[in-house]
Amino acid sequence: MNKLQFPKYFLWGGATAANQFEGGWNADGKGPSTSDMLTGGTHTVARRISKEIEEGVHYPSHEAIDFFHRYKEDVALFAEMGFKTFRMSINWTRIFPTGTELEPNEAGLKFYDSVFDELLKYGIEPLVTISHYEMPFGLTKKYNGWAGREVIDCYVRYAETVFNRYKDKVKYWLTFNEINVGTMPLGGYLGLGILNEGTEDFIHQVDVPQLRFQGLHHQFVASAKAVKLGHEINPNFQIGCMIAYMTTYPFTCNPDDILLAQNEMKMHNHFCGDIHVRGEYPYYAKRYFEENNIEIKVKDGDLEILKEGTVDYYTFSYYMSNCASADPNLEATSGNLLGGVKNPYLKASDWGWQIDPKGLRYTLNEIYGRYEIPMMIVENGLGAFDKVEEDGTINDSYRIDYLKEHIVQMGEAIKDGVELWGFTPWGCIDLVSASTGEMEKRYGFIYVDKDNKGVGTLDRKKKASFDWYKKVISTNGEEL
Ligand code: BGP
């Protein structure tokens, strides 16, 4: 194998989300977000969506890992690893506490000024998700989240505010995290803030596909408006989309399996990217909508705005792959957002997500072949239990292996001709799991002392992967 060669400008870094690591959930005028209403859960016990904050209940986002108070220490650690970029999100409710205010909360804006300044001090380029799995709970109460068209204006006001405020500090933006979660029932609340009558928990939501797809339409319009506006505010902005890419293979060469896998790829992986990148609904949407009794209300001007607000680059999360089969009796496996049929050639993580580094090369080629625009992998990594040894060390060799194998395949994809701008592994510092609310599902290079019940000192410790990743960055991926 020839040496891997990453471009000189390659953005190595790490990724986080405000609701999963900031804490300070009601500090300085911040309002409650949809994620602040989610209780802790586990792999087998679903997170509950509480309509009010209940006394004595553990809400993992409320303190999370307290980046809110410890950002200087954390950014210094990222800098020590040599990060070129840091993916983070802005908590919408720090800026607009209920979502409907006309004026932003200055204290919230100041907090991100300080964080960006701290990053820039070390030459770390912020990569900012405008909405990552949270929105004001006020908008859920008032409009049933994105089901209400009014939310477009609330979002655009928020985006305009942060674009203007940080236009000289932030160049790379993403409009929504994993927007395609809205194509699945789980995304009703998680991605769209929709809370239908009768929903109690996160996994078994009362699902109304009509509302979900209408909500998604509102997000597409909001994203396109934000892209257009962002470019007016600063023509140097790079504004991208973010898709949860859940690569699906046909289980066999039986044409039924092939078609099933293709359909899954279309509706779950490509649908949103097609709209973001090409600026129009894809040809296959029509049949899907007809067969699922979905009728999207499109207002005059919506389709034009979709065309005018296409993204500059494409980003995605990649953790695993799955198979699709027409045979209902095959063994199932779980995965990020979507499960599937177990692949006999792959091993899985402790949470049942199948580990497939070569699938990343395949995926990069699939996406690039479709759009031919620059890409970034903004989430990838292994959620695992870590053990702190008596001497205080944490030897997460399994995480190093996982990342190493994925980086090798990224390098191969670059050789294939794919234009890849950067790589930000998920949860570079341990944080709260989005799906389960656990702390003990860890992804980080930096360990945070806190358990699933929320107990711990919050002390930070370097894992073995910390020094390993530092070397990867300093050699620009030549030494793995
Ligand atoms: C993605 C989300 C992240 C993150 C990650 C890992 O879907 O964008 O927010 O949490 O998956 O998933 P989990 O936290 O469920 O392990």
Side-chain angles (χ1 to χ4, degrees):
M1 193 178 66
N2 303 330
K3 257 200 177 159
L4 295 179
Q5 273 195 338
F6 288 87
K8 281 208 174 57
Y9 60 77
F10 196 75
L11 293 169
W12 298 97
T16 57
N19 81 86
Q20 290 167 260
F21 91 137
E22 259 179 20
W25 79 287
N26 58 3
D28 295 343
K30 180 185 170 298
S33 71
T34 44
S35 57
D36 292 329
M37 310 309 282
L38 286 173
T39 66
T42 66
H43 192 33
T44 47
V45 180
R47 307 183 72 177
R48 212 156 46 73
I49 306 171
S50 69
K51 323 280 177 309
E52 306 287 336
I53 299 296
E54 298 161 17
E55 275 296 304
V57 168
H58 175 49
Y59 294 95
S61 71
H62 289 197
E63 181 191 53
I65 62 157
D66 198 28
F67 177 79
F68 187 71
H69 294 107
R70 295 164 194 250
Y71 66 91
K72 288 196 177 165
E73 179 191 350
D74 292 342
V75 171
L77 287 165
F78 302 150
E80 192 182 333
M81 274 187 279
F83 278 20
K84 312 272 184 235
T85 188
F86 176 58
R87 177 175 177 231
M88 54 180 276
S89 69
I90 295 180
N91 231 318
W92 185 341
T93 51
R94 247 184 238 298
I95 315 299
F96 290 100
T98 67
T100 53
E101 295 82 357
L102 297 179
E103 292 305 319
N105 172 29
E106 178 58 27
L109 288 168
K110 276 207 176 108
F111 170 67
Y112 294 105
D113 269 321
S114 315
V115 175
F116 296 144
D117 290 344
E118 198 64 20
L119 290 166
L120 295 170
K121 181 171 115 188
Y122 295 103
I124 301 175
E125 186 90 57
L127 162 58
V128 176
T129 318
I130 298 172
S131 177
H132 187 134
Y133 285 169
E134 49 77 28
M135 65 188 290
F137 194 62
L139 295 178
T140 292
K141 289 204 274 196
K142 195 157 183 190
Y143 301 120
N144 202 12
W146 280 97
R149 189 170 172 104
E150 296 85 346
V151 177
I152 298 177
D153 285 346
C154 302
Y155 175 92
V156 173
R157 193 179 318 122
Y158 161 51
E160 185 173 10
T161 305
V162 296
F163 283 156
N164 272 319
R165 175 77 170 217
Y166 308 122
K167 61 176 184 302
D168 300 322
K169 297 182 183 182
V170 178
K171 175 176 169 196
Y172 295 98
W173 300 89
L174 301 173
T175 53
F176 289 97
N177 179 62
E178 295 189 339
I179 190 169
N180 57 323
V181 74
T183 63
M184 293 165 264
L186 181 70
Y189 187 74
L190 184 62
L192 295 154
I194 294 175
L195 186 52
N196 295 318
E197 198 55 42
T199 291
E200 295 298 328
D201 76 56
F202 185 60
I203 304 291
H204 315 94
Q205 296 175 38
V206 174
D207 181 39
V208 184
Q210 167 67 34
L211 287 185
R212 258 196 296 119
F213 279 90
Q214 187 64 50
L216 263 178
H217 178 72
H218 296 149
Q219 288 192 329
F220 296 138
V221 172
S223 171
K225 284 189 165 190
V227 171
K228 199 173 164 219
L229 195 68
H231 287 147
E232 283 160 19
I233 292 172
N234 184 345
N236 292 325
F237 277 174
Q238 297 288 340
I239 311 175
C241 61
M242 198 295 199
I243 307 291
Y245 210 96
M246 302 154 291
T247 303
T248 306
Y249 303 128
F251 186 70
T252 68
C253 50
N254 176 344
D256 286 338
D257 287 2
I258 308 262
L259 278 170
L260 261 182
Q262 187 180 50
N263 270 335
E264 204 133 282
M265 291 286 273
K266 284 196 289 198
M267 276 320 291
H268 289 137
N269 291 326
H270 295 150
F271 175 71
C272 298
D274 284 355
I275 298 168
H276 277 308
V277 179
R278 296 171 169 162
E280 60 189 18
Y281 276 84
Y283 72 91
Y284 50 84
K286 190 163 174 274
R287 178 169 184 181
Y288 182 85
F289 288 162
E290 274 167 15
E291 290 181 351
N292 291 280
N293 297 318
I294 294 164
E295 211 175 316
I296 309 280
K297 287 189 209 83
V298 176
K299 278 223 170 162
D300 280 355
D302 282 4
L303 299 181
E304 288 71 27
I305 189 73
L306 293 184
K307 270 270 170 235
E308 290 165 9
T310 55
V311 293
D312 302 315
Y313 64 114
Y314 179 107
T315 79
F316 64 105
S317 60
Y318 177 88
Y319 292 91
M320 33 57 64
S321 67
N322 270 323
C323 297
S325 166
D327 178 353
N329 301 315
L330 294 173
E331 194 181 341
T333 182
S334 55
N336 184 28
L337 311 179
L338 199 69
V341 169
K342 200 167 170 176
N343 183 334
Y345 299 99
L346 301 177
K347 292 205 176 76
S349 77
D350 291 338
W351 276 260
W353 297 15
Q354 300 184 116
I355 301 171
D356 183 13
K358 287 186 180 150
L360 178 57
R361 175 179 178 188
Y362 167 78
T363 300
L364 282 161
N365 276 280
E366 279 294 294
I367 304 169
Y368 195 66
R370 199 172 181 94
Y371 305 126
E372 295 201 351
I373 62 170
M375 293 192 286
M376 278 199 219
I377 300 160
V378 294
E379 287 186 30
N380 171 246
L382 181 70
F385 293 106
D386 289 333
K387 188 166 171 264
V388 185
E389 302 296 342
E390 269 169 29
D391 63 1
T393 57
I394 302 151
N395 185 12
D396 56 343
S397 53
Y398 35 88
R399 182 167 295 111
I400 295 176
D401 291 344
Y402 177 102
L403 290 168
K404 191 186 287 185
E405 287 168 24
H406 283 79
I407 293 172
V408 167
Q409 296 303 321
M410 274 159 43
E412 290 299 322
I414 291 173
K415 281 192 213 158
D416 291 334
V418 158
E419 187 177 352
L420 189 64
W421 277 355
F423 177 60
T424 58
W426 175 249
C428 47
I429 179 164
D430 291 348
L431 39 63
V432 174
S433 156
S435 55
T436 66
E438 294 163 295
M439 259 311 295
E440 290 165 44
K441 185 181 188 188
R442 300 174 184 278
Y443 288 87
F445 303 113
I446 302 162
Y447 184 90
V448 177
D449 179 30
K450 189 169 181 179
D451 66 15
N452 287 345
K453 296 199 180 78
V455 180
T457 61
L458 289 172
D459 283 351
R460 278 57 169 155
K461 260 192 196 29
K462 297 174 194 170
K463 304 182 193 176
S465 55
F466 184 101
D467 286 327
W468 170 79
Y469 193 45
K470 186 175 170 179
K471 178 129 140 257
V472 172
I473 298 178
S474 68
T475 61
N476 201 22
E478 280 193 20
E479 274 183 51
L480 298 175

